[in-house]
Amino acid sequence: MTSQPSAGRRRLIVGNWKMNGNRQGNDRLLQEILQGWNPLKDTDTVICPPFVYLQQVAQALKSCQIMWGAQSTNAEQAGAYTGEVSASMLADMGCRYVIVGHNERRRLQGEDNAQVAAQYTAVLDAGLIPILCVGESSEQREAGQALATIESQLHAVIDHAGLESFAHAVVAYEPIWAVGTGKTATPEEAEQVHGFIRETFGHLGQQLTILYGGSVKPSNAAELFAKADIDGALLGGASLNAEDFIAVCQHAESADK
Ligand SMILES: O=C(CO)COP(=O)(O)O
């Protein structure tokens, strides 16, 4: 049964391929997704491959409703930044979404709140939609610091870009302890944080799309998406398998809110 999305919000599923894939494998995965695809009415879908495969993915998805995005960007527009890609370059390629502040970049590339805020602004300035990732570590959760951590990650961006900028942005809650571990936050744990994030945005909160990420798969998607404040998912592993990706997208579409 399809119900109306909460507060008129569309649902959104974003597949983050991370540093996976090769030309032949991508072709196969994209073909399988397109062959098994059923058009969705209330759910938007995005695939974020590594930079080098953006063109390949863009070409494959040209005449279908799945959009594509990037996994990161540099905050600068152009210049002597070897190995980096700017948001204006992504816009030039026809990109729509850019993930910023993913916990793997915060932890492994040392990106701090200030850099994430600058990237977020660069994405908006390029006319693209940032997907801002926030989330706590297991140590922070155990110390009762989960919400405080998320609040400071959000405020770093709100203070830099302004609350109203979130009318054109997506927030993704990814508890670090649930990413790639097979351990999912319970729907209740996730919903509590999503509700907190929504409240942080005051009058904008009800319009904001908030995704959950961390070991989402077909077997747990329906119960997560049934929660009023969970508008969809940021998928890692499940986006690398056509059957799983399609199934999670279908769960979002038919979520009973
Ligand atoms: O990090 C994630 C998506 O950005 C989640 O990854 P997994 O779904 O593999 O846990």
Side-chain angles (χ1 to χ4, degrees), residues 129-212:
I129 303 170
I131 301 170
L132 172 65
C133 300
V134 297
E136 81 286 2
S137 65
S138 57
E139 294 77 22
Q140 287 164 329
R141 175 157 280 261
E142 276 154 28
Q145 291 296 310
L147 297 183
T149 302
I150 291 159
E151 191 171 30
S152 71
Q153 290 168 337
L154 290 175
H155 272 289
V157 180
I158 294 171
D159 294 349
H160 184 258
L163 191 76
E164 301 299 324
S165 71
F166 281 83
H168 310 286
V170 171
V171 172
Y173 168 53
E174 293 205 318
I176 298 172
W177 47 271
V179 171
T181 59
K183 237 193 260 176
T184 326
T186 64
E188 291 69 31
E189 282 170 330
E191 177 70 355
Q192 189 211 6
V193 175
H194 281 229
F196 172 78
I197 294 171
R198 225 175 267 301
E199 275 170 30
T200 304
F201 287 92
H203 68 282
L204 266 180
Q206 282 308 310
Q207 295 170 37
L208 183 67
T209 298
I210 308 176
L211 308 181
Y212 170 76

Side-chain angles (χ1 to χ4, degrees), residues 16 18 102-104 174 178-181 213-216 234-238:
N16 173 10
K18 306 192 180 184
H102 192 280
N103 77 76
E104 285 152 15
E174 293 205 318
V179 171
T181 59
S215 302
V216 177
L234 182 51
L235 306 174

Side-chain angles (χ1 to χ4, degrees), residues 75-124:
E76 302 297 332
Q77 281 248 358
Y81 302 100
T82 302
E84 294 296 284
V85 173
S86 73
S88 55
M89 291 173 182
L90 294 169
D92 189 32
M93 294 290 291
C95 180
R96 294 284 293 280
Y97 289 84
V98 184
I99 299 170
V100 296
H102 192 280
N103 77 76
E104 285 152 15
R105 296 202 60 85
R106 291 180 191 259
R107 288 184 299 117
L108 307 174
Q109 263 70 37
E111 290 181 1
D112 61 19
N113 275 339
Q115 282 168 297
V116 171
Q119 291 166 5
Y120 171 94
T121 306
V123 172
L124 281 177

